[in-house]
Amino acid sequence: MDFQAALAYLDEHMSYQKTGRIDSPSVEPITAICDALGQPHRSCPVIHVTGTNGKGSTVQMISRLLAAQGLSVGTYTSPHLEHVTERIRRNGEPISEEELGEAIGAVAEVAPLVGQSPGYFEILTAAAFRWFADVAVDVMVIEVGLLGRWDATNIVDSQVAVITNIGLDHQEFAGPTLFDIAREKAGIVKPGSAVIIGETDPELITIFQDAGGAASLVVGDDFATTSNALAVNGRLLDIRTPTTIYTDVFLPLNGAHQGDNAAVALAAVETFFAAPLAEEVVLEGFAEVTMPGRFEILGRQPLTIIDGAHNPAGADVCADVFFGDFHPEGRRILVVGTLRDPVAMLSALRADDFDIVFVCNAPTPRTIPVAELQRAARSIGCEHVVAFDSVEAACRRAMDYADGDDAVLVTGSLYTAGAARPVLNRLTN
């Protein structure tokens, strides 16, 4: 199957991406498909990562640390920012279009033979496992797509299971409480898993400790970021693990929360090796981390930032970084398109503290309609709100409006950040 045919096949199997609904969630379809492919998900050890926020950053940090140690690393993440090939990587490099087409073609060939009609995410997950087996990576770092227990990635038996944190998200599938969400995410813990717990609520921690893993490490008790200072273009960290204190570690990502993610990632990699890492490996691994679309600075005059915050907890962190670390002196301009409760998202972003808010439709059928988003912004006290049909139109107007001392923040979902990125790159370069 060539790449264009593969894209068409994926599009034919979109459901959740278009409707936000999943019928009868189960790992049985992907289990049957991967069995027919020769169980590629069992071809090498796995580090499996779930959590409400920080999964993507933590996965990238783990992958870079493993690669700095000399391993060939397969990384699977979701969603993509601009191109579907971003989801499947070896040592940081995306799968080629030709290789992705071939891998999806293999899934498409076996699926009817085992009586399955997989969804979009299941297809890509199976294709990722097959490609990782074909190119013989040494280890897979796999990001959960949705919650954990019945996520398509949860057919793996991980050596290390990582939980970044727990917040209220995807309550249409698990809820209504944090305990319900934690129990679903704890479903990735297998009998042989060492569990790395980045959550700080003692009652939620117990859920993961009791999930049946072989051992557990808890943030604060067993590992921590002991110093987390603002640095030029990132953070300067001291990190304590069960074996070592690593000092003056530079992480080229914005926001104190990324320092917390770094401690989780380092504890996970140490646990995977059952040994401390050499200082040069830690410094090299973290220095190589990049996270497009996660508080990514695309321009300086005006300050132009995109962030994929997609739930109120992530939006709150985004606002903390924007107003705290950057405290822009000029006008503050917000461009927002979201799929979540608009009042909750805009409140968490502190939209009423911006001088002007440009609301737009995120490029997905699940977007909150722009008229509803505009009403929500006005309901929380935003005085100047302008509506646009598209992310591109909103970004162009924001950049026309902004002066050199101003700051433009584009956020609300990864769909919004992904659509904004190429537009803003053209306008700022």
Side-chain angles (χ1 to χ4, degrees):
M1 182 177 287
D2 65 24
F3 181 65
Q4 292 305 316
L7 291 182
Y9 179 74
L10 284 172
D11 189 62
E12 291 168 3
H13 290 79
M14 280 189 172
S15 175
Y16 174 73
Q17 288 73 17
K18 292 181 178 178
T19 68
R21 296 189 300 273
I22 296 177
D23 298 325
S24 303
S26 170
V27 296
E28 291 182 8
I30 192 169
T31 299
I33 290 168
C34 284
D35 284 348
L37 290 171
Q39 298 191 334
H41 56 292
R42 301 189 187 279
S43 62
C44 68
V46 174
I47 298 178
H48 201 188
V49 182
T50 191
T52 299
N53 288 302
K55 295 190 300 296
S57 300
T58 303
V59 162
Q60 295 302 331
M61 293 178 202
I62 290 170
S63 297
R64 292 296 185 178
L65 288 168
L66 293 168
Q69 186 70 14
L71 298 186
S72 175
V73 184
T75 306
Y76 180 58
T77 59
S78 63
H80 57 273
L81 192 63
E82 296 183 65
H83 198 279
V84 67
T85 56
E86 298 166 14
R87 296 179 180 228
I88 305 171
R89 296 175 180 265
R90 178 176 58 173
N91 294 340
E93 293 299 317
I95 187 173
S96 70
E97 292 183 355
E98 180 182 2
E99 289 171 311
L100 182 57
E102 193 277 332
I104 289 175
V107 175
E109 183 176 344
V110 304
L113 300 179
V114 294
Q116 300 297 331
S117 179
Y120 182 100
F121 186 72
E122 291 166 318
I123 295 165
L124 283 171
T125 303
F129 289 144
R130 184 183 187 276
W131 187 64
F132 292 151
D134 284 350
V135 298
V137 299
D138 298 315
V139 57
M140 291 185 273
V141 186
I142 306 295
E143 178 185 353
V144 167
L146 186 66
L147 294 170
R149 186 179 309 278
W150 43 262
D151 186 72
T153 66
N154 201 31
I155 62 172
V156 300
D157 288 323
S158 62
Q159 279 64 38
V160 181
V162 179
I163 294 86
T164 58
N165 52 58
I166 302 299
L168 290 174
D169 197 14
H170 297 303
Q171 289 170 276
E172 65 272 36
F173 304 115
T177 71
L178 290 172
F179 299 96
D180 299 313
I181 292 169
R183 280 189 286 267
E184 287 301 314
K185 292 185 185 294
I188 73 165
V189 177
K190 306 299 168 57
S193 303
V195 188
I196 310 300
I197 305 170
E199 174 58 45
T200 58
D201 185 320
E203 294 182 330
L204 299 181
I205 289 170
T206 300
I207 292 174
F208 298 108
Q209 290 177 318
D210 295 343
S216 64
L217 297 177
V218 180
V219 67
D221 295 338
D222 302 304
F223 63 92
T225 302
T226 57
S227 178
N228 188 346
L230 181 65
V232 176
N233 297 322
R235 312 294 301 185
L236 191 64
L237 313 172
D238 292 346
I239 303 174
R240 169 178 60 83
T241 69
T243 69
T244 309
I245 296 176
Y246 301 89
T247 60
D248 296 330
V249 177
F250 177 68
L251 177 68
L253 299 179
N254 295 300
H257 64 291
Q258 297 290 13
D260 298 332
N261 292 334
V264 173
L266 186 50
V269 175
E270 272 202 0
T271 301
F272 179 78
F273 288 116
L277 302 182
E279 180 182 8
E280 58 269 24
V281 169
V282 174
L283 295 178
E284 177 187 339
F286 280 123
E288 292 294 321
V289 174
T290 59
M291 282 303 297
R294 274 71 165 189
F295 218 90
E296 181 183 11
I297 299 172
L298 299 179
R300 293 286 181 178
Q301 290 186 317
L303 179 63
T304 307
I305 299 165
I306 60 172
D307 187 71
H310 65 282
N311 54 40
D316 185 64
V317 170
C318 175
D320 280 346
V321 179
F322 182 78
F323 288 108
D325 288 358
F326 289 87
H327 45 81
E329 296 181 0
R331 294 173 301 175
R332 294 160 295 190
I333 302 158
L334 177 65
V335 177
V336 59
T338 188
L339 287 60
R340 305 291 183 192
D341 179 340
V343 171
M345 284 293 294
L346 290 166
S347 297
L349 287 167
R350 305 177 208 172
D352 54 327
D353 287 337
F354 285 80
D355 294 279
I356 190 167
V357 178
F358 295 145
V359 296
C360 56
N361 291 311
T364 168
R366 295 188 290 126
T367 186
I368 297 295
V370 67
E372 183 179 345
L373 195 53
Q374 186 175 38
R375 288 193 297 270
R378 289 175 173 156
S379 75
I380 66 167
C382 299
E383 294 183 4
H384 303 290
V385 186
V386 185
F388 295 87
D389 288 337
S390 70
V391 174
E392 179 174 356
C395 287
R396 290 187 177 279
R397 182 66 187 95
M399 296 303 288
D400 286 342
Y401 180 81
D403 293 328
D405 292 334
D406 296 340
V408 177
L409 173 63
V410 184
T411 188
S413 79
L414 275 171
Y415 292 99
T416 303
R421 194 169 190 264
V423 178
L424 293 174
N425 273 327
R426 289 194 298 269
L427 295 175
T428 56
N429 293 315

